[in-house]
């Protein structure tokens, strides 16, 4: 190799190294938003700007869906429930409600954002959680029903038919927010990053610092330590959500009363599922929002119906359901993709026999 060639080779190596260096400009920031610990990671020249704008966007979304803020759209809907008046909504809230209604129909009412009176009555996760009396339960259940939430697309408005009704976007808002951050990352040309909303809704973009797929730990549903995993899922350019009966619950007698309600019984869903994970790849429109609402819906449907339902969905959607016997029911290539599966779990074969 001549002197010039050596010099050219040296320069080429230098450029490659510098580029690799650029790739390592990783920015990571955490904040408490949407009632959850948000951690945003992004790589690239505009990573800081993308993260700052994303955090601001998340706060705006929170202000629309937070039931504790008097001016939030969801609060206005509850205040005007039963008056016949339409409430003009921000496009974001309208989109979440329209999607929720679509899936209320598709899941035969398993997913229902009008469960709010039940959420309030049971108070799961608050210091006044209790098993309600049958009279209280019957009264709250009368105020639940997606058919009594009307939407007007042209006006981008909604109304609730009965006084005392309300909507709760806790099963969909975080996933919606993931999609919004994803759009901001795209605007800033971010190719690698992790959008993580409390570990329960996230999006893995490109690769991690090691230049491999992001490795997402799925929580072990029966270990108190939140760091204990039931498996690890390598994830690249896909959204993932997990819902479980371990997130917010109290126990009385032998029963675990948790935060995912079966709107048809008015009680925490006893469907056989104890944890549900859904992955939506980048070909799925609104993949974050869909994976979030599907975890809740599939949890209520239970393993058998849940698996059937997932099989009718977009091919870019797959899921894993854990039942009370710690059997794993999966769709797509989920079983193959999972790594480091804890020995506590076995794959359900659907034939009645375990692997
Ligand atoms: P997730 O943790 O994503 O399953 O969402 C659970 C949250 O969604 C609860 O804390 C409630 O705010 C709300 N929720 C509970 N049950 C339902 C249901 N059947 N349909 C829609 N939202 C629900
Ligand atoms: Mg959900």
């Amino acid at each position: 190799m001549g002197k010039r060639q050596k010099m050219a080779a040296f320069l080429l190596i230098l450029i490659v190294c510098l580029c690799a260096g650029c790739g390592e400009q990783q920015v990571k920031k955490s904040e408490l938003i949407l009632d959850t610990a948000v951690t945003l990671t992004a790589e690239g020249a505009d990573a800081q700007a993308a993260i700052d704008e994303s955090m601001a966007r998340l706060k705006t979304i929170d202000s629309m869906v937070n039931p504790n803020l008097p001016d939030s759209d969801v609060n206005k809907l509850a205040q005007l429930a039963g008056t016949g008046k339409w409430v003009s909504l921000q496009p974001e809230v309208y989109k979440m409600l329209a999607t929720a209604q679509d899936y209320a129909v598709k899941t035969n009412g398993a997913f229902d954002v009008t469960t709010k009176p039940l959420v309030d009555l049971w108070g799961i996760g608050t210091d006044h959680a209790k098993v309600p009396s049958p009279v209280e339960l019957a009264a709250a259940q009368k105020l639940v029903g997606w058919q009594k939430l009307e939407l007007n697309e042209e006006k981008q408005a909604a109304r609730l038919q009965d006084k005392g009704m309300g909507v709760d976007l806790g099963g969909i808002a975080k996933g919606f927010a993931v999609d919004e951050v994803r759009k901001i990352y795209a605007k800033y040309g971010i190719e690698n990053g992790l959008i993580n909303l409390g570990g329960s809704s996230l999006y893995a973009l490109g690769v991690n610092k090691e230049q491999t797929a992001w490795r997402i730990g799925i929580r072990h549903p029966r270990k108190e330590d939140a760091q204990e995993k039931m498996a690890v899922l390598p994830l690249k350019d896909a959204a993932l959500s997990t819902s479980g009966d371990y997130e917010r619950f109290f126990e009385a007698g032998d029963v675990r009363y948790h935060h995912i309600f079966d709107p048809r019984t008015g009680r925490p869903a006893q469907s056989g599922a104890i944890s549900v994970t859904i992955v939506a790849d980048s070909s799925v429109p609104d993949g974050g929002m869909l994976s979030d609402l599907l975890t809740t819906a599939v949890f209520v449907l239970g393993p058998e119906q849940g698996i059937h339902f997932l099989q009718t969905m977009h091919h870019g959607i797959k899921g894993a359901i854990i039942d009370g016997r710690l059997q794993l029911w999966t769709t797509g290539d989920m079983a193959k993709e999972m790594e480091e599966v804890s020995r506590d779990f076995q794959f359900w074969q659907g034939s009645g026999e375990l692997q």
Side-chain angles (χ1 to χ4, degrees):
M1 209 189 270
K3 209 174 172 185
R4 279 185 140 203
Q5 281 164 313
K6 273 189 191 162
M7 191 57 148
F10 171 74
L11 279 176
L12 188 70
I13 291 168
L14 186 70
I15 289 166
V16 170
C17 290
L18 281 176
C19 284
C22 306
E24 279 162 24
Q25 274 187 6
Q26 195 185 71
V27 181
K28 192 171 178 177
K29 198 174 172 193
S30 297
E31 275 193 62
L32 271 178
I33 316 175
L34 283 163
D35 208 15
T36 199
V38 172
T39 302
L40 300 182
T41 310
E43 227 180 69
D46 288 330
Q48 187 65 55
I51 286 183
D52 290 345
E53 190 172 321
S54 299
M55 289 294 190
R57 179 83 181 119
L58 291 174
K59 287 173 194 161
T60 305
I61 296 168
D62 184 60
S63 71
M64 298 174 192
V65 302
N66 190 332
N68 302 318
L69 298 177
D71 282 344
S72 67
D73 275 4
V74 295
N75 232 332
K76 285 186 208 156
L77 266 173
Q79 277 156 16
L80 292 177
T83 64
K85 288 189 185 140
W86 288 94
V87 178
S88 296
L89 300 171
Q90 317 257 21
E92 292 88 343
V93 176
Y94 188 87
K95 182 169 178 175
M96 281 183 254
L97 288 181
T99 310
Q101 291 297 73
D102 184 18
Y103 280 84
V105 176
K106 287 183 174 146
T107 62
N108 205 10
F111 190 81
D112 185 343
V113 285
T114 71
T115 47
K116 187 173 191 309
L118 293 169
V119 174
D120 293 344
L121 177 66
W122 286 79
I124 313 258
T126 69
D127 54 8
H128 54 269
K130 58 151 194 207
V131 179
S133 72
V135 174
E136 289 174 314
L137 201 58
Q141 254 194 298
K142 272 196 189 154
L143 299 171
V144 174
W146 59 271
Q147 296 92 338
K148 292 188 285 188
L149 164 63
E150 294 173 81
L151 298 184
N152 183 320
E153 191 178 358
E154 206 183 314
K155 287 191 190 155
Q156 293 277 297
R159 66 180 177 190
L160 290 160
Q161 278 176 13
D162 299 338
K163 189 171 160 49
M165 287 184 75
V167 295
D168 180 320
L169 297 175
I172 186 171
K174 275 187 259 173
F176 173 85
V178 164
D179 292 331
E180 291 301 295
V181 173
R182 169 80 193 87
K183 283 183 209 159
I184 294 170
Y185 275 30
K187 188 177 86 179
Y188 283 96
I190 306 294
E191 287 172 3
N192 301 312
L194 188 66
I195 300 161
N196 186 351
L197 272 61
S200 66
S201 280
L202 50 88
Y203 193 96
L205 180 65
V207 290
N208 61 18
K209 261 186 169 176
E210 285 75 42
Q211 306 299 310
T212 60
W214 294 90
R215 296 179 63 73
I216 310 300
I218 301 172
R219 189 172 157 177
H220 191 307
R222 287 295 175 264
K223 293 272 162 100
E224 246 173 65
D225 181 355
Q227 301 308 314
E228 289 253 18
K229 298 180 192 71
M230 88 80 185
V232 171
L233 202 63
L235 204 68
K236 190 170 185 283
D237 297 322
L240 176 147
S241 284
T242 302
S243 281
D245 68 359
Y246 50 80
E247 281 169 45
R248 268 174 282 151
F249 68 94
F250 70 93
E251 281 170 323
D254 280 347
V255 186
R256 177 183 289 237
Y257 297 98
H258 57 81
H259 71 306
I260 303 168
F261 292 96
D262 186 333
R264 299 159 298 189
T265 63
R267 309 174 73 83
Q270 299 288 343
S271 64
I274 66 169
S275 163
V276 177
T277 296
I278 304 284
V279 170
D281 71 26
S282 56
S283 70
V284 182
D286 304 315
M289 175 165 59
L290 277 193
S291 59
D292 189 6
L293 80 85
L294 284 173
T295 56
T296 315
V298 167
F299 191 106
V300 176
L301 290 173
E304 232 153 302
Q305 279 188 47
I307 288 289
H308 284 306
F309 183 65
L310 287 176
Q311 280 164 346
T312 67
M313 305 265 341
H314 189 292
H315 57 83
I317 291 178
K318 59 189 176 187
I321 305 171
I322 304 173
D323 71 17
R325 295 169 64 195
L326 303 191
Q327 296 172 138
L328 269 161
W329 304 56
T330 61
T331 66
D333 61 358
M334 199 75 151
K336 214 172 67 202
E337 288 281 299
M338 276 186 197
E339 293 177 10
E340 299 174 38
V341 180
S342 153
R343 286 160 158 256
D344 294 347
F345 301 86
Q346 286 176 298
F347 285 96
W348 171 257
Q349 289 298 289
S351 61
E353 293 195 358
L354 297 177
Q355 206 173 39

